[in-house]
Amino acid sequence: MEFSIKSGSPEKQRSGCVVVGIFENRRLTLPAELLDNASSGFVSEIVRRGDMNGKSGTSLLLHNVPGTSSERVLLVGLGKEKDFREKDFCAAIRLSVKALAETGTQDATLFITELAVRKRDTAWRIRQSAIAAIDASYRFDHYKTKQDELRRPLRKLTLIVERRNELSIAEEALQQGIAIAEGCTLARDLGNLPPNICHPEYLAQQARELATEFKLECEILERADMEKLGMNALLAVARGAHQPPKLVVLHYKGGKNSAKPVVLIGKGVTFDTGGISLKPAAEMDEMKYDMCGAAAVLGTMKAVARMALPINLTIIVPATENMPDGNATRPGDIVESMSGQTIEILNTDAEGRLILCDALTYAERFQPERVIDVATLTGACVVALGHVASGLFANKDGLARDLIEAGEESGDRAWHMPLWDEYQELLKSPFADMGNIGGRWGGAITAACFLSRFSKKFDWAHIDIAGTAWKSGADKGATGRPIPLLTHYLLQHAGKID
Ligand code: BES
Ligand code: MN
Ligand code: ZN
């Protein structure tokens, strides 16, 4: 989709469709009022008759509105004016794009983008609009052999800002939004790809392609390299798999040479059967999404490189399948992690923490300013927070605060969870330094406690995205979360947003 920014009045737009908002209780937004004046009351008459009542989630398409230059007008319900917040704004953009897709138009002009949203500025509105519009028009139909030939996709969206002096700020925000959305699209594609295609080598290949496109430094560690480094926790997970494991590293250097990098680590289990601690059959296909952490850090890297942010960023993706096999790790096996700490593997389905712990130790060599890992780590996190918020853990409160705020501002929320010592107790093992599970209760927390033991040398945060990285049901698919949170955080870190 092509985007542009403009300011102007709705009745004068030569466009396939002009999109304006209507609040509940027949309150026309300013652009709707301008259309109404130009058309001698055409719009208000429709609203008066009750064909558009302004409720959120509703829309009405009008053709040949008198006195206007566009072919169509789309009225979009915004809900109650006094309750209009960030999420209502984004929902209105998404609804507009979905409704436009049902029409014959291939270009449209959105006046929703000039609506005031409390506490948010023009840059925010434009950035979020681009992200929401691209997200709402996303489709994954690579494997459908019959394409919908009648569909006319939306090709061009013009986003309106109120004043001409906002154009340059809006243009920069638009480019940021497009970059972030492209990162999300990459992550969603990787998540949605079937596990017979998207295996560890496929993720490595994606990294190589990003490296070529954006001139990044790329290292890919093979099994033999991991053996030399003593990454026995990661290797224990890979034992049962026929697909070889990979540890993928990408470096982006946009900042000063002396600036320490931010390191992002993404769990890349391209299929999680549970291993010998085999998962039940129902919905096991969804364990293809167990590499969504990896997808998110690759997508974040793509967005950051596209925005050319003045920071140094490194991403690490430990990638493997978790399979049962005659050679697979058994419950009860003890391994020595790269850090030297020993682990009794009591449940082979708690594999994410095993690959992450060696990746965390590997991160030390980059002398990171801070490390953030992203993982579909625990079903317990879904029990705790549902599909709304990601679980956030950190060994520095300031870092947690910044990430929570980035989540709030990007509409990709996370909730701060505790990492108290009392929970560490639960990881005790009679035979090794620790077990890899902490028992029945507080599973998201004990998993984070496990990781914290490998994160003592730097400021560290862990984001459990088990409930947020994908959706089940009718609109099943990867969401691209938490890329909006991470990119917002990095934009702030780069001084591009205050
Ligand atoms: N990938 C799963 C976590 C998961 C489960 C994410 C369901 C989304 C939905 C992870 O590897 C796992 O299996 N975790 C176990 C840990 C347990 C054995 C301590 C879990 O959550 O059941
Ligand atoms: Mn598992
Ligand atoms: Zn897993």
Side-chain angles (χ1 to χ4, degrees):
M1 195 153 36
E2 203 185 300
F3 286 88
S4 61
I5 306 271
K6 220 172 146 181
S7 76
S9 43
E11 71 281 7
K12 296 199 186 116
Q13 303 300 315
R14 292 186 191 288
S15 167
C17 189
V18 161
V19 183
V20 298
I22 310 282
F23 286 113
E24 266 182 47
N25 302 322
R26 304 182 184 172
R27 287 270 302 120
L28 304 193
T29 55
L30 182 64
E33 218 167 280
L34 292 171
L35 284 178
D36 193 49
N37 294 343
S39 62
S40 318
F42 192 88
V43 175
S44 53
E45 176 65 8
I46 284 167
V47 170
R48 200 190 53 75
R49 286 185 199 149
D51 291 355
M52 160 47 76
N53 57 23
K55 280 212 182 341
S56 64
T58 65
S59 66
L60 182 68
L61 185 68
L62 309 174
H63 295 272
N64 307 322
V65 175
T68 67
S69 310
S70 62
E71 293 165 10
R72 307 168 187 76
V73 167
L74 181 68
L75 305 181
V76 171
L78 303 173
K80 292 205 176 72
E81 187 169 10
K82 71 169 182 20
D83 299 335
F84 191 72
R85 293 290 136 72
E86 291 105 322
K87 67 173 185 350
D88 307 292
F89 176 86
C90 294
I93 301 289
R94 304 175 65 89
L95 174 68
S96 304
V97 170
K98 296 226 150 133
L100 287 164
E102 302 295 314
T103 72
T105 192
Q106 297 200 307
D107 75 291
T109 307
L110 293 188
F111 279 81
I112 312 264
T113 49
E114 65 165 58
L115 280 174
V117 180
R118 209 202 282 185
K119 292 199 291 189
R120 303 294 176 229
D121 56 13
T122 301
W124 182 92
R125 293 199 306 267
I126 296 298
R127 199 186 311 115
Q128 293 306 116
S129 295
I131 297 171
I134 294 172
D135 190 71
S137 51
Y138 176 85
R139 287 152 60 99
F140 185 81
D141 48 18
H142 301 30
Y143 293 98
K144 298 269 191 198
T145 56
K146 293 190 191 68
Q147 306 293 336
D148 186 351
E149 279 147 24
L150 294 175
R151 243 180 76 90
R152 281 221 204 160
L154 195 56
R155 291 244 169 85
K156 191 169 181 331
L157 259 190
T158 302
L159 312 182
I160 297 288
V161 293
E162 209 180 341
R163 292 185 303 274
R164 298 198 58 82
N165 65 7
E166 296 174 310
L167 288 172
S168 68
I169 284 174
E171 188 56 47
E172 189 184 8
L174 173 64
Q175 293 312 320
Q176 292 167 349
I178 293 172
I180 293 166
E182 273 191 10
C184 290
T185 300
L186 171 64
R188 295 179 76 180
D189 282 346
L190 291 174
N192 289 331
L193 279 167
N196 57 329
I197 302 295
C198 185
H199 43 55
E201 168 52 26
Y202 189 92
L203 291 178
Q205 189 51 31
Q206 292 297 307
R208 287 186 203 104
E209 284 169 22
L210 284 179
T212 312
E213 188 177 353
F214 296 103
K215 302 199 171 55
L216 311 173
E217 213 182 289
C218 177
E219 354 162 4
I220 298 191
L221 306 192
E222 306 290 338
R223 192 194 298 270
D225 305 309
M226 299 174 202
E227 280 165 2
K228 273 190 218 121
L229 288 161
M231 295 182 159
N232 299 311
L234 199 175
L235 288 166
V237 177
R239 279 183 74 95
H242 289 207
Q243 290 291 342
K246 308 275 164 177
L247 187 114
V248 181
V249 184
L250 282 176
H251 302 282
Y252 165 79
K253 297 203 166 108
K256 293 202 184 82
N257 266 338
S258 57
K260 292 177 168 179
V262 173
V263 175
L264 301 179
I265 302 179
K267 171 178 173 182
V269 173
T270 60
F271 196 72
D272 181 11
T273 65
I276 297 300
S277 313
L278 193 64
K279 286 182 181 295
E283 282 111 47
M284 205 206 272
D285 68 289
E286 295 198 350
M287 283 301 122
K288 72 174 182 178
Y289 293 115
D290 213 16
M291 36 54 69
C292 282
V297 303
L298 285 162
T300 300
M301 179 56 98
K302 182 170 190 186
V304 165
R306 245 212 81 163
M307 291 187 278
L309 291 188
I311 59 169
N312 294 334
L313 178 69
T314 292
I315 66 167
I316 305 177
V317 171
T320 180
E321 293 181 333
N322 186 21
M323 302 294 272
D325 182 82
N327 197 35
T329 291
R330 296 151 288 254
D333 283 1
I334 294 180
V335 294
E336 183 184 350
S337 66
M338 186 181 171
S339 74
Q341 299 176 88
T342 57
I343 305 163
E344 185 183 14
I345 301 177
L346 293 164
N347 188 320
T348 63
D349 197 11
E351 85 297 343
R353 61 199 78 181
L354 295 174
I355 69 170
L356 290 169
C357 74
D358 281 342
L360 284 161
T361 304
Y362 193 68
E364 287 173 10
R365 67 186 50 211
F366 305 122
Q367 284 154 342
E369 179 176 84
R370 59 202 64 160
V371 178
I372 304 167
D373 78 71
V374 189
T376 48
L377 202 63
T378 64
C381 192
V382 194
V383 174
L385 299 173
H387 301 289
V388 177
S390 304
L392 181 103
F393 302 81
N395 63 7
K396 267 283 177 330
D397 282 342
L399 177 57
R401 219 178 309 119
D402 292 348
L403 288 166
I404 297 280
E405 189 184 307
E408 290 289 339
E409 289 179 2
S410 60
D412 179 10
R413 286 188 292 186
W415 191 252
H416 195 179
M417 307 271 280
L419 261 185
W420 298 319
D421 286 344
E422 287 88 332
Y423 295 104
Q424 294 281 358
E425 301 287 308
L426 300 168
L427 291 170
K428 274 192 182 144
S429 153
F431 306 118
D433 295 341
M434 68 194 91
N436 76 328
I437 53 172
R440 193 171 155 78
W441 310 115
I445 304 172
T446 49
C449 284
F450 181 95
L451 297 177
S452 75
R453 296 172 177 221
F454 302 84
S455 314
K456 295 220 154 84
K457 300 204 175 134
F458 37 67
D459 289 2
W460 158 79
H462 156 62
I463 307 180
D464 193 332
I465 56 169
T468 52
W470 79 90
K471 288 186 177 142
S472 314
D475 49 351
K476 182 168 178 169
T479 60
R481 290 179 69 182
I483 292 177
L485 182 160
L486 290 171
T487 48
H488 199 95
Y489 172 76
L490 293 170
L491 277 168
Q492 262 163 346
H493 180 67
K496 296 280 177 188
I497 304 180
D498 12 274

